[in-house]
Amino acid sequence: MKIKDIQMALNSQFAEREEVVEGLVIAMIARQHALLIGPPGTGKSALVSDLTERITGANYFQWLLTRFSTPEELFGPVSLKELEQGVYKRNTAGKLPEAHTSFLDEIFKANSSILNALLTLINERMFYNDRAPAQVPLMSLIGSSNEYPEEGEGLEALFDRFLLRYEVDYIGEDQSFVSMLKDSTAIPADMSIDELFELQFFSDTVTIPDEVYDALSKIRRELMDEGIRPSDRRFKQILSVIRAKAVLAGRDYAELEDLMILKHSLWEKPEQRDKVAKIVRNHAQDAVKTRVEEIENEAADILKGLEQSNNSTDMAVESTKKLKILVSELKKLQKDSPNRPEVEQAIVLVRKSLNDIASQVLGV
């Protein structure tokens, strides 16, 4: 499948961006919008540009917004010829109203003169030109920002328009960083816009079984118990994302595992992300996989605490004890649930952490 080839090519080109790449590809299939939040220099615009360039035949519009951006920059200048006839109409050629895909950098700097038209265009795919509504071909708009919008700025509605939201940080692993420095060769992979249209049509036909609907209901209830209340409209929209994830996996039906992507959709504030991820994970994957991921996160926290202590000997000894307890739990999981590769991989990962501590801190 060509869309999978594009996904693999982008994963190879952009280190530690697998979830973001998947989210952007799914957004394209689902005809939904995505938001990337992260500091400058994390490759947000480069990733989106690379992805959109691989969709041949699609109109693409990219712009960097500032507080001083004008509607003409996004929607086109007023036609002087039309204005002479008393008609206030914009020339939209090459601008956002004629784009299939778009990337708006620093989108939360949109001022009030742009915001209302932008909201209508994103949500309803309509652009009012000379007070006449016109359908736009926009499939997916990707927004990015260096920071979240502050409360009271009137940007809540714009933030809500993005069904998928991802935090993009600097590369963490040394090996990934070195690979990024060495590799600059783009892997060829593309598809036509007509082929993307076919995937979108196929996505609309994907079957969602009752167990997935039941899991969504339980997720919604648990989120409400935590004071997190995504709108009914948002839950309705995420069905398109679930279907698109199934299509990307080569299926014509959804599975519980497809719900994992909702951890990037159902939170309203950054501090809710971890709670949402945990609730979604509990309903989207089996207990063994959930516990393995929790253990891996615990191991990462232990190593982070050791690093913050400047690798003190006392903390190294304490960290070693904790990691050995995690290994013991993983071995028990392995015994109770044989033939689970994720358990074996976690054991290897935690043991490697133990060896690293021993060699770097304890000198063993």
Side-chain angles (χ1 to χ4, degrees), residues 5-294:
D5 294 337
I6 292 175
Q7 183 184 14
M8 292 173 63
L10 292 174
N11 284 338
S12 175
Q13 186 77 7
F14 296 91
E16 297 183 8
R17 299 290 183 262
E18 289 82 4
E19 281 193 306
V20 179
V21 168
E22 180 190 58
L24 295 181
V25 169
I26 286 174
M28 294 285 187
I29 299 173
R31 299 183 290 265
Q32 295 292 350
H33 312 301
L35 176 67
L36 308 181
I37 301 284
T42 49
K44 300 185 294 295
S45 60
L47 173 55
V48 177
S49 179
D50 195 331
L51 169 60
T52 52
E53 286 176 1
R54 295 174 185 271
I55 312 297
T56 59
N59 296 334
Y60 176 60
F61 178 79
Q62 178 174 332
W63 204 260
L64 170 64
L65 289 173
T66 72
R67 291 178 299 167
F68 307 106
S69 295
T70 63
E72 285 75 16
E73 295 174 23
L74 268 65
F75 310 120
V78 175
S79 171
L80 296 179
K81 184 177 180 180
E82 297 277 2
L83 195 59
E84 290 176 355
Q85 308 299 319
V87 177
Y88 190 87
K89 191 173 184 179
R90 294 188 182 278
N91 179 6
T92 59
K95 295 296 185 177
L96 181 57
E98 297 192 7
H100 294 101
T101 58
S102 177
F103 176 68
L104 296 184
D105 199 4
E106 289 302 317
I107 191 166
F108 295 127
K109 288 187 169 61
N111 52 53
S112 57
S113 63
I114 292 174
L115 191 57
N116 288 338
L118 194 57
L119 287 173
T120 303
L121 191 143
I122 292 175
N123 195 48
E124 302 171 20
R125 267 71 169 197
M126 301 290 291
F127 177 67
Y128 286 82
N129 205 358
D130 188 32
R131 294 173 293 181
Q135 197 77 34
V136 300
L138 183 67
M139 296 182 296
S140 297
L141 185 145
I142 313 302
S144 81
S145 177
N146 294 339
E147 63 276 322
Y148 289 96
E150 295 183 7
E151 292 186 16
E153 292 186 340
L155 296 170
E156 292 82 5
L158 180 59
F159 183 72
D160 185 61
R161 291 299 190 273
F162 295 101
L163 195 60
L164 293 169
R165 304 164 182 150
Y166 292 85
E167 287 192 355
V168 185
D169 206 346
Y170 297 116
I171 294 173
E173 294 293 330
D174 291 344
Q175 185 175 354
S176 299
F177 176 73
V178 172
S179 297
M180 180 273 293
L181 293 177
K182 287 182 177 180
D183 187 12
S184 59
T185 305
I187 298 175
D190 58 39
M191 67 188 304
S192 70
I193 190 170
D194 288 334
E195 290 170 319
L196 179 56
F197 287 154
E198 290 178 7
L199 278 181
Q200 292 171 346
F201 175 79
F202 181 60
S203 178
D204 291 336
T205 68
V206 167
T207 301
I208 299 180
D210 287 341
E211 66 172 349
V212 173
Y213 285 117
D214 291 342
L216 282 171
S217 180
K218 292 174 182 176
I219 288 172
R220 174 176 175 269
R221 173 55 56 190
E222 290 190 28
L223 289 175
M224 291 174 66
D225 291 342
E226 293 288 345
I228 304 171
R229 296 177 177 272
S231 66
D232 293 344
R233 179 185 66 187
R234 196 168 194 81
F235 270 102
K236 185 71 173 178
Q237 288 176 329
I238 61 177
L239 296 179
S240 65
V241 170
I242 295 170
R243 290 189 173 100
K245 195 163 190 320
V247 168
L248 193 59
R251 289 182 271 105
D252 62 358
Y253 59 91
E255 294 181 346
L256 286 176
E257 188 78 17
D258 296 327
L259 296 179
M260 278 301 297
I261 196 170
L262 302 188
K263 68 181 182 178
H264 301 292
S265 180
L266 294 178
W267 51 272
E268 300 167 309
K269 300 177 182 179
E271 58 267 25
Q272 297 172 343
R273 291 173 66 245
D274 290 342
K275 285 184 179 179
V276 169
K278 184 176 181 179
I279 290 172
V280 168
R281 190 182 300 115
N282 287 341
H283 293 280
Q285 63 188 34
D286 62 78
V288 172
K289 192 169 184 178
T290 298
R291 184 54 190 148
V292 167
E293 289 192 1
E294 290 174 349

